[in-house]
Amino acid sequence: MRRILVLLLACAAAVFAVPATGAHAATAHRPVVFVHGYTGSASNWVTAESLFRSAGYSSSELFAYEYNSYGSNITNAQGLAAFVSQVKARTGWSQVDIVNHSMGGLVSLWYLKQLGGASSVAHLASLAGANHGTTSAGACLVFVTCQQMYPGSAFILTLSAGDETPGGTVYRTWYSPCDGVIIPYTSTALSGATNTYVPCENHLTYLTDTVVLSQVRSFVSS
């Protein structure tokens, strides 16, 4: 009888030791990780975070990743990988959603495609992402990140080779001819993604346009 009781207690302990994931995670919504662009910061996402909170997201479900705009986007992507792992551990979810802007598109895509991050990302939303590079980066080639962001760089060629939208992640982009920073503006569009044409949007106003940000929120919530 004593042996049976010990076995039952051991089984019960094993059951309760299983970490929460998915719908049984510590938060109600899958966490969202925001990734800013060149020279940006977490403050870029104030409007987006407010919009998400108005839809029921809590502050504990919204995270902003910050990185070095002047170093290497490979290092920045490695930092994003570590950041996502921390978010998953903290919230109990097995996946996150990523929303990026501008050069944040390169950081995010390198993480998903080169570092195996696709399995940890349910949705990727790219606002004016420099996904195939931008000639605007020619103005700051003294920095490694800008060298990597220039069209035709080894970094861009690596990202563009093969499947541009790998894994089970659902991808969507937003791009506009009025961007002014992503040149050509079609650089943002990804093969295999839902590419959303915005008639006229300035590069920075994506961060405050509640119409576009509402579309982003609906997308990652789907």
Side-chain angles (χ1 to χ4, degrees):
M1 178 64 73
R2 183 177 179 181
R3 173 178 289 183
I4 294 174
L5 180 60
V6 169
L7 288 173
L8 289 174
L9 289 173
C11 290
V15 169
F16 286 108
V18 176
T21 58
H24 302 291
T27 61
H29 300 91
R30 188 168 46 241
V32 179
V33 175
F34 296 97
V35 185
H36 65 74
Y38 179 68
T39 72
S41 69
S43 64
N44 291 162
W45 301 108
V46 170
T47 301
E49 290 174 340
S50 176
L51 202 66
F52 272 76
R53 284 195 294 270
S54 71
Y57 281 77
S58 68
S59 296
S60 61
E61 297 167 331
L62 305 173
F63 302 85
Y65 171 61
E66 293 190 304
Y67 60 86
N68 179 10
S69 289
Y70 311 106
S72 168
N73 280 321
I74 295 176
T75 301
N76 294 335
Q78 292 168 342
L80 177 59
F83 188 82
V84 168
S85 292
Q86 293 170 5
V87 169
K88 288 165 55 180
R90 178 174 175 178
T91 62
W93 283 84
S94 60
Q95 290 186 309
V96 304
D97 295 317
I98 288 181
V99 179
N100 65 57
H101 176 247
S102 195
M103 194 172 75
L106 298 183
V107 176
S108 303
L109 287 174
W110 193 273
Y111 162 53
L112 266 71
K113 187 169 183 176
Q114 302 303 122
L115 303 180
S119 62
S120 293
V121 181
H123 299 85
L124 180 74
S126 186
L127 298 172
N131 299 330
H132 293 97
T134 173
T135 57
S136 295
C140 55
L141 291 177
V142 65
F143 301 117
V144 174
T145 45
C146 290
Q147 295 169 18
Q148 294 170 332
M149 190 163 44
Y150 198 82
S153 70
F155 186 95
I156 294 296
L157 292 177
T158 298
L159 279 184
S160 300
D163 189 357
E164 293 190 340
T165 51
T169 304
V170 183
Y171 299 76
R172 184 173 176 181
T173 74
W174 284 257
Y175 67 109
S176 173
C178 298
D179 187 295
V181 173
I182 302 302
I183 304 172
Y185 72 92
T186 52
S187 171
T188 297
L190 293 168
S191 177
T194 298
N195 298 301
T196 307
Y197 177 87
V198 184
C200 197
E201 187 77 77
N202 177 275
H203 188 66
L204 292 179
T205 56
Y206 280 100
L207 299 171
T208 55
D209 187 331
T210 56
V211 173
V212 171
L213 292 174
S214 291
Q215 293 174 357
V216 171
R217 183 187 63 196
S218 296
F219 167 67
V220 301
S221 300
S222 62

